[in-house]
């Protein structure tokens, strides 16, 4: 069979050997899961002998994956696609890029991962013995999200095959073996992927031009809520930086405005964020991403008010800027006097297949005041004995929010409960799809 670079050969009897090596695999960022360890067993098949100038085919068969498919989700037929790298050594140096088809039987929960064979071609350009050694590889799963798990050796790996190359009229190029256009000596750190990668929000600082929040507002009030008959109170646009919990982006920035409209003794709040506040953590369908925020109360009042926005109306592409919809809620004052409203914790909820993953983004430092209101205490208002202090997102009992819910209670970071919730939600949504590996060393890692 003719190859682009010459005659594609398997002329001499093929020889194969199994190689086992310790592997560390990094789940996609959107999963929020820590690196995990496993053992990969690979069989490399290549001709035992060939001549200079020949192009040979090399086959990578994964005899045993580093782990079973976890007991969380069934993988559908033909959703798994592997890619990887073989190191070329001995008489020549370089790499061979390997790729397999998206082809697999259905893989039930808690059963062995079944990966299709990967193939690559190698043009031989110098006589001598050439070794082929398995290196990094990547596994792409197309459903329910397109995600990649990248795996790298954590110890020295033995060659999986050796080709004896004899002179045959081919030209030499100073001992470099050309393999799929890969530069001599280069090594793929995490394999290559032909599908989209769920980098899940690993981009930091995705909103250009945003500035760190902090400090006091240069004019804390846009209007006064008492005595003038005024009903609309536009807030001031303030710059805020957020630090998100994995799998969200490490750091995002946005301009935020809190507006209010008085109705009786309460206020209808509308919170606006700048366009492109964050990058999409994955390819998401319409209706999958929904924002909310805990507006922090200060001055005379204490606690926070929950505001929520509708889900995205258009599909979102991985890595593309996301415009969050306006978030609304109801503020019922719990104290009389001058009360301030500032941006607080922003939460991004991603829902797929009936399962929800929440990504909280806490204000970095302190946010400036966007709006000050002259308030009159209302029965059942925001202030109460459980208030944790000015500007905190931990609201006291009795606070009100849009849709009849309660204002948040307790600190911004609910510690173990939030961590467990994040891991559980992620596991149910993406467990098998991200090809996570056992044994589990820890429930959750740091970003």
């Amino acid at each position: 069979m003719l190859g682009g670079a010459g005659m594609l050969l398997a002329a001499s009897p093929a020889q194969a050997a199994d190689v086992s090596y310790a592997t560390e695999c990094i789940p996609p960022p959107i999963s929020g899961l820590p690196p995990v360890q496993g053992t990969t067993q690979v069989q490399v098949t290549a001709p035992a002998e060939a001549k200079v100038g020949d192009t040979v085919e090399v086959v990578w068969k994964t005899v045993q994956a580093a782990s079973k498919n976890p007991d969380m989700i069934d993988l559908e037929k033909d959703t798994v696609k592997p890619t990887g790298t073989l190191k070329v050594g001995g008489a020549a140096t370089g790499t061979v890029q390997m790729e397999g088809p998206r082809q697999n039987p259905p893989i039930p929960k808690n059963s062995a991962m079944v990966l299709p064979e990967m193939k690559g071609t190698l043009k031989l350009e110098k006589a001598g013995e050439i070794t082929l050694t398995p290196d990094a590889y990547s596994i792409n799963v197309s459903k329910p999200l397109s995600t990649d798990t990248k795996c790298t050796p954590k110890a020295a790996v033995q060659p999986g095959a050796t080709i004896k190359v004899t002179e045959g009229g081919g030209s030499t190029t100073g001992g470099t073996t050309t393999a799929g256009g890969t530069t001599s000596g280069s090594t793929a750190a995490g394999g290559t992927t032909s599908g989209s990668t769920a980098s899940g929000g690993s981009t930091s600082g995705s909103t250009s031009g945003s500035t760190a929040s902090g400090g006091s507002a240069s004019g804390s009030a846009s209007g006064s809520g008492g005595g003038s008959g005024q009903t609309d109170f536009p807030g001031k646009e303030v710059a805020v930086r957020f630090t998100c919990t994995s799998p969200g982006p490490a750091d995002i920035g946005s301009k935020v405005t809190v507006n209010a409209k008085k109705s009786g003794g309460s206020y209808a709040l509308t919170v606006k964020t700048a366009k492109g506040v964050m990058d999409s953590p994955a390819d998401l369908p319409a209706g999958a991403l929904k924002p909310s925020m805990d507006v922090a109360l200060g001055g005379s009042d204490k606690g926070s008010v929950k505001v929520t926005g509708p889900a995205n109306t258009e599909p979102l592409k991985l890595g593309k800027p996301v415009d969050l919809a306006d978030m609304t809620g109801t503020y019922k004052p719990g104290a009389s006097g001058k009360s301030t409203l500032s941006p607080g914790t922003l939460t991004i909820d991603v829902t797929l297949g009936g399962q929800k993953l929440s990504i909280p983004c806490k204000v970095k430092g302190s946010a400036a005041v966007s709006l000050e209101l002259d308030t009159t205490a209302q029965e059942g208002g925001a202030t109460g004995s459980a208030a944790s202090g000015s500007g905190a997102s931990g609201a006291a009992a009795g606070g009100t929010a849009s849709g009849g819910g309660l204002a948040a209670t307790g600190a911004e970071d609910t510690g173990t409960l939030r961590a467990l919730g994040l891991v559980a939600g992620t596991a149910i949504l993406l467990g098998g799809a991200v090809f996570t590996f056992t044994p589990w060393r820890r429930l959750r890692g740091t970003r």
Side-chain angles (χ1 to χ4, degrees):
M1 184 169 60
L2 292 177
M7 187 69 72
L8 186 64
L9 296 180
S12 62
Q15 41 99 25
D18 288 0
V19 179
S20 297
Y21 55 98
T23 309
E24 180 178 69
C25 295
I26 309 297
I30 193 172
S31 72
L33 297 174
V36 289
Q37 310 298 321
T39 300
T40 302
Q41 185 177 355
V42 174
Q43 183 182 91
V44 179
T45 304
E49 297 181 357
K51 295 180 179 180
V52 172
D54 290 346
T55 297
V56 297
E57 182 179 73
V58 184
V59 178
W60 170 322
K61 178 180 179 181
T62 304
V63 178
Q64 177 182 304
S67 171
K68 295 181 178 180
N69 179 29
D71 187 20
M72 296 177 186
I73 188 171
D74 296 330
L75 297 183
E76 297 180 15
K77 182 177 183 292
D78 297 340
T79 57
V80 177
K81 178 182 177 69
T83 54
T85 303
L86 286 175
K87 284 185 176 180
V88 179
T93 58
T95 58
V96 181
Q97 299 304 317
M98 308 296 291
E99 183 174 348
R102 192 174 298 281
Q103 185 178 70
N104 61 279
I107 304 177
K109 305 171 190 175
N110 200 32
S111 63
M113 288 295 298
V114 181
L115 304 179
E117 291 183 349
M118 296 186 283
K119 296 181 179 181
T121 58
L122 174 66
K123 184 175 181 180
L124 306 173
E125 298 183 340
K126 187 180 179 182
E129 287 194 347
I130 292 176
T131 60
L132 300 172
T133 304
D135 195 44
Y137 63 97
S138 181
I139 299 171
N140 176 266
V141 177
S142 59
K143 292 182 179 181
L145 294 174
S146 180
T147 56
D148 288 282
T149 295
K150 298 181 182 294
C151 302
T152 54
K154 300 308 293 180
V157 184
Q158 297 299 313
T162 301
I163 304 174
K164 183 178 180 180
V165 184
T166 58
E167 295 288 354
S171 61
T172 61
T173 58
T176 299
T177 301
T178 304
T182 302
T183 303
S184 171
S186 66
T187 302
T192 59
T193 62
S194 61
S196 61
T197 303
S199 49
S202 60
T203 305
S204 65
S206 61
T207 304
S208 61
S210 61
T211 58
S213 67
S216 60
S218 58
S220 62
S222 296
S224 172
S228 64
Q230 181 181 355
T231 57
D232 292 324
F233 301 94
K236 186 182 67 173
E237 185 179 71
V238 294
V240 188
R241 293 212 74 84
F242 298 94
T243 299
C244 301
T245 298
S246 177
D251 185 77
I252 60 177
S254 179
K255 299 293 183 65
V256 180
T257 307
V258 180
N259 299 315
K261 184 179 180 67
K262 190 174 184 180
S263 176
S266 299
Y267 296 84
L269 302 183
T270 300
V271 177
K272 297 178 179 291
T273 58
K275 291 186 177 298
V277 65
M278 63 178 289
D279 292 343
S280 178
D283 290 331
L284 298 174
L289 187 148
K290 185 176 181 180
S292 63
M293 180 181 285
D294 294 324
V295 178
L297 302 176
S300 299
D301 217 345
K302 303 295 184 290
S304 68
V305 179
K306 187 82 166 182
V307 293
T308 59
N312 57 301
T313 57
E314 299 292 336
L316 302 174
K317 294 295 184 182
L318 169 67
K320 296 298 183 182
V322 175
D323 298 337
L324 300 181
D326 292 350
M327 294 168 278
T328 59
T330 301
Y331 166 42
K332 181 184 289 187
S336 298
K338 292 189 178 296
S339 301
T340 61
L341 292 85
S342 305
T345 298
L346 173 68
T347 300
I348 307 298
D349 290 330
V350 179
T351 303
L352 283 174
Q355 303 298 329
K356 185 170 74 172
L357 171 67
S358 292
I359 303 172
C361 300
K362 296 169 63 177
V363 173
K364 189 175 182 179
S366 60
V369 172
S370 176
L371 181 63
E372 183 180 87
L373 298 170
D374 289 335
T375 58
T376 301
Q378 304 295 307
E379 184 178 355
T383 298
S385 60
S388 60
S390 176
S393 67
T400 60
S402 175
L406 295 176
T409 59
E412 280 187 340
D413 186 356
T414 54
T416 303
L417 290 178
R418 181 175 290 280
L420 291 175
L422 176 64
V423 172
T426 302
I428 293 171
L429 174 63
L430 298 172
V434 299
F435 189 54
T436 53
F437 294 76
T438 54
W440 300 93
R441 292 190 306 164
R442 51 193 183 275
L443 279 177
R444 187 172 184 273
T446 57
R447 188 173 171 76

